Amino acid sequence: MHLFLIRHGETVDNVAGLLAGRRDSALTNHGYEQGRRLGDYLADTRQPLTRIFASPLQRAYKTASLLAAKQSTRDLTVSTVPYLMERDFGFYEGKTNAVRKGPDRERHKKEPGFVDVESKDALARRADMFLDQHLLPMLDDEADFGGAAEHLVAIVSHGILLSSLWRRLLLRLGPKSVTVSRDVVASQGPVVLAHLGGWSNTGFLELSVQSAETDASSRSNTAAVSPAASSEDAVTAADVSLPRSPSVTAIDAVPPQLMTESSEAELPTDQLDTVGDVSVTKDAVDPERSEVEHLRLLAGYHTTILVVNGQQHLTGLKRQRGGIGRAEHDDKQQTMTTFFKRARKD
């Protein structure tokens, strides 16, 4: 399975600096163009998608629709899944983060109808529901066909939810089953698997999840590469089985035992252990045994991180001036080119 975890395009609330969890904030004209460019980029540089999942909020659904429109896959539609909606900010919807984290939080709790921010535990449960009910069953489809029919899946959602989804997926992965792209290491330095960084608008995390047998056969004619080896010396599974994907260095990393969802989001850099070019948390908290037992673990699979927060499609993109780029996108509006062509025709 080949996965793209994609954040939606820029929205009106993004521009205004407002918290928009469940608020159905619209794409700006610039955000629409970001999505259109991503659609072109994926169609030109990757194999055709087989499935697209999206949050039902319009900023994610419209971004996903722009991807679908450029795909050659017959009858490809966008499947909306409520589990993929952004974190609910409750009372703070439509307010700034400064208000949410300001000194008046206790006073806010006394406001009539106050609803607190959705907990990280609730986010994790929604991510698990999506994995177990929608995504992971697709691996069974591939197994039934002996790995011959690979799914290429795009998941278009929101930054906070995507971060939770990645951590919950990472929790399922076996020891020494994650490989990091050489390009990712070169551009970002040491990688903390549980915290790959934020998603920019239409930024994407690209992953390959392969059965160990498929992955081993693709690597059968290649030598293992040590972290110190020259990048020119490496020929890898991704080079063989995934044309036009980034080159991969053979660094086997033990995925960290993830911090509990109620823990702090980040650890100081002095609490990191580096394994090759991959960092894992030293003092991370083991998940509760009861939490792990009910999860479907991906034993026998190898996962490759190919791209983190991919933004190649945005190269050269500039925001339209005069406030046009920041304005809400209207599907009925005409581009300047269309307007003048029609004027000449009339």
Side-chain angles (χ1 to χ4, degrees), residues 21-183:
R22 300 298 175 87
R23 279 165 60 96
D24 207 8
S25 183
L27 292 177
T28 61
N29 287 318
H30 187 67
Y32 182 90
E33 181 63 16
Q34 289 173 327
R36 190 190 68 78
R37 284 200 171 206
L38 179 58
D40 286 338
Y41 177 80
L42 293 182
D44 291 342
T45 64
R46 302 296 193 271
Q47 300 299 323
L49 297 172
T50 60
R51 290 294 300 274
I52 301 179
F53 296 102
S55 158
L57 295 173
Q58 64 169 315
R59 57 190 185 271
Y61 178 76
K62 288 187 176 180
T63 301
S65 297
L66 290 170
L67 306 187
K70 297 301 177 72
Q71 291 291 311
S72 60
T73 314
R74 184 176 180 182
D75 299 327
L76 181 65
T77 59
V78 177
S79 301
T80 56
V81 181
Y83 298 141
L84 295 175
M85 292 176 71
E86 181 59 301
R87 187 181 198 180
D88 188 347
F89 287 104
F91 175 83
Y92 300 100
E93 290 278 343
K95 299 178 175 62
T96 66
N97 209 36
V99 172
R100 177 194 163 202
K101 295 188 175 182
D104 298 325
R105 273 192 59 84
E106 293 305 314
R107 181 175 61 81
H108 294 158
K109 293 179 181 179
K110 298 177 183 179
E111 296 278 351
F114 174 85
V115 176
D116 207 348
V117 177
E118 182 180 10
S119 71
K120 292 181 180 179
D121 290 331
L123 271 174
R125 285 192 293 272
R126 288 203 279 121
D128 284 335
M129 296 285 276
F130 174 75
L131 290 173
D132 289 329
Q133 296 182 20
H134 296 278
L135 187 64
L136 298 187
M138 299 177 72
L139 289 173
D140 297 330
D141 295 342
E142 295 183 352
D144 290 342
F145 288 95
E150 183 182 37
H151 285 293
L152 284 88
V153 183
I155 301 167
V156 185
S157 184
H158 313 266
I160 296 174
L161 187 283
L162 288 172
S163 293
S164 181
L165 182 63
W166 162 242
R167 290 195 295 270
R168 301 310 291 181
L169 177 60
L170 184 58
L171 185 61
R172 319 293 187 100
L173 304 178
K176 298 185 178 181
S177 67
V178 177
T179 300
V180 180
S181 163
R182 186 188 310 121
D183 291 343

Side-chain angles (χ1 to χ4, degrees), residues 7-11 14 27-28 31-32 34-35 59-60 63 201-202:
R7 188 186 176 202
H8 58 78
E10 180 192 79
T11 70
N14 290 157
L27 292 177
T28 61
Y32 182 90
Q34 289 173 327
R59 57 190 185 271
T63 301
N201 289 122
T202 64

